[in-house]
Structures are given as structure tokens and as C-alpha cells.
Amino acid sequence: MLISCVVPAFNASTTIERTLASVLNTTLPNGWLVEVLVVDDGSSDSAALAGIVGSHLNARLLVHETNRGTCAGRNTGITASRGDIVLMLDADDELVPGWPAVVNAVINEWPTNTQVCYLACCNLEGKVTAENPSYSGALTLNDMLNERQSGEYIALFRGDYVRQKQYIDLGLPMPCEAVSYINFAHDAPIWISNRILRIYYEDGTGSLSSDWTSPKKARAMAQCYFKLFQRYGLLYQQEAPKTWNTKRLRLAVYLRLASMPGAWGWWWAGASFTCIKESVGTLVILIFGPKLGAKIVKLVKKLGLIRQYG
């Protein structure tokens, strides 16, 4: 059994050592091997990154001469991988101690007719980053569109499948993962395991939850939403009308936080009695503007009034 771990890295020399150590400094079951494919995505600290990766026997560095974004980095690593199982990891996160036992248990319960498996994560305080931490089972395309079992997960793939399928690279800095995972879910349900595999640094430089109300991050998220709507807007309207409304409201928030045009138009398009709480909350943010709106968003997220992960 060969496990391939793909790690896109952009200016990650200050965090990559702990990531590599968490993967490689462990005892593997008999017959197991592990490889780590770190993809330098046009970093300015390439020399430091190369030195750290080169100090680990089973880690290999692949290089993009220019920054191409997270999905391109993942696809470069996936193409070079040889593993029976391919695991995605960020360059500022860690696998839990004793992770091979977790993966081994998951492999034994992972249905053979599904190609992708989500495993739970926890933050540094030990909080599980899944909406329903106890859930194990299938996540259908309809479930995904309706945002059931949402949260922050780590993805495992059957190697032959992901090397053929790969991520959809939209040419954006943000991975826009929803586009790719909807594409995966078209083939077969995704399996969810409640076993915890990843320690999620939610305040890390590259994490989606880090500084997500900043104009730069809000602009990037708005670009992702436009791409998502372009590809799957009609599918959302047909299969998940309430989610379609809430996503348009979220786009309105990102546009307002980024001081981009169109926020009010997207609010009018998404406002509905089916999502009255979200409609009113978005209205308040639009009225108060980017700076105060960002503070309001952070507060209600901290209070649990809106979803924290996923």
C-alpha cells in the first residue's frame, strides 16, 4: 500500500516542516509506504522550501516557475503521484499523531463504489470542523448542493480515479473547491468518515477562514462564486433552490466587503422568505458597509449564528 500526500506550497517555508514531520515521522503498518509531493507554486522562498523538503527522505519537490494557484499545484502533485490512496494536505496543516491507523480504519470501511472520502478535521482547540461531527455515511450530489453535512474536511482519493479526473483548474488563486467536488460527486457519492485525520490551522496564512473579510480575500471569494454560478447555477436552481438563494446572498456580502459593484443586485436576487435570517443579515451588512459589515460578520460567526466552516 502506497499513500501519496500532495501538498501545494506557496511561500510556506515557515510552516512546511511541521506539515512534513506530521506525515513522515510516524510508524507505518507492514507493507505500507508513503510519499509526499510538495509543489512549489512560484514561491519567493523557493530556496528555503527546497532545503526543508530535501532534508526528508520520502519527500519530493515539484516546481512551478510562476504562481498558478492551488488547484494547479494539486494537479501537478496528483499527476506525479503513484499511490493507491492520494491525500490532499495544505502546507500549514498537520496530520494527527498516529494517522496511519486512522487511514487504515477508514480504508476498511470506505465503500469500494465510492472514489472520494472526506475525513473530519479538528482545530487547535480540539473542536471538530464538521457540522455533524458524529456522521459517517454517503454524501450524495443532492446533499452537497443542499449543504448537508457541511464543514471543513480533508479529502482522500483512490489514486487511479483522481489521476484521471483531477481538480477543475479555474485559473484563480483560490481553489474554489466546490466546483471540483460537485464534479466528483456527479460520478458517485462521496463517503464521509467521522474519524479525525487533520489538524486544521484555521488562522493560518493560507486557510480559507483566515482574514476572509479582508477586501483581497472577499474579492477572491466573489470570483469563485461567479465561476460556481457559471457552471452550476442552473443545477442549484433545480436541486437546491434555498441554497441557490443563500449563495447569492453570500456573493452580495463578498462584493460589499470587496467594494465591488453588484452587491445590491445579488441581494435582491437572493432575498427570500425561505432564508429570511440570511436575507436580513445580509441587508444589515450591505447597509453598514465594508468596515462595519466585516466586524458584524466576524461577530455573528463567532456567536454561531452563521456556519463557521464549509
Side-chain angles (χ1 to χ4, degrees), residues 183-306:
N183 191 41
F184 296 140
H186 269 100
D187 293 337
I190 291 171
W191 184 254
I192 291 181
S193 171
N194 60 13
R195 300 178 187 274
I196 297 173
L197 181 61
R198 171 190 177 201
I199 301 172
Y200 177 56
Y201 282 73
E202 58 189 10
D203 294 323
T205 302
S207 70
L208 289 178
S209 60
S210 171
D211 200 25
W212 70 278
T213 59
S214 70
K216 181 180 179 180
K217 186 67 71 69
R219 178 179 292 272
M221 290 300 297
Q223 291 173 329
C224 286
Y225 268 63
F226 283 130
K227 293 289 188 180
L228 177 67
F229 292 176
Q230 183 180 18
R231 284 178 175 266
Y232 296 123
L234 181 59
L235 185 62
Y236 272 108
Q237 293 174 58
Q238 294 171 340
E239 300 291 332
K242 181 179 178 180
T243 305
W244 173 237
N245 286 333
T246 58
K247 283 195 172 296
R248 288 186 288 181
L249 294 173
R250 289 175 204 162
L251 175 56
V253 171
Y254 287 127
L255 292 172
R256 191 71 168 108
L257 294 177
S259 298
M260 296 171 66
W264 282 106
W266 284 104
W267 181 84
W268 279 109
S272 169
F273 285 110
T274 63
C275 50
I276 188 65
K277 180 178 68 173
E278 294 88 347
S279 299
V280 173
T282 303
L283 179 62
V284 170
I285 293 169
L286 298 190
I287 291 173
F288 282 101
K291 291 185 178 180
L292 186 54
K295 293 180 180 179
I296 294 171
V297 170
K298 290 179 179 179
L299 176 62
V300 297
K301 194 171 186 179
K302 184 176 181 180
L303 293 174
L305 300 177
I306 60 174

Side-chain angles (χ1 to χ4, degrees), residues 150-169:
S150 62
E152 181 70 30
Y153 295 99
I154 181 172
L156 269 65
F157 295 87
R158 302 196 190 277
D160 289 342
Y161 171 80
V162 76
R163 279 186 286 272
Q164 181 274 327
K165 191 78 172 181
Q166 301 208 343
Y167 281 78
I168 295 176
D169 182 6

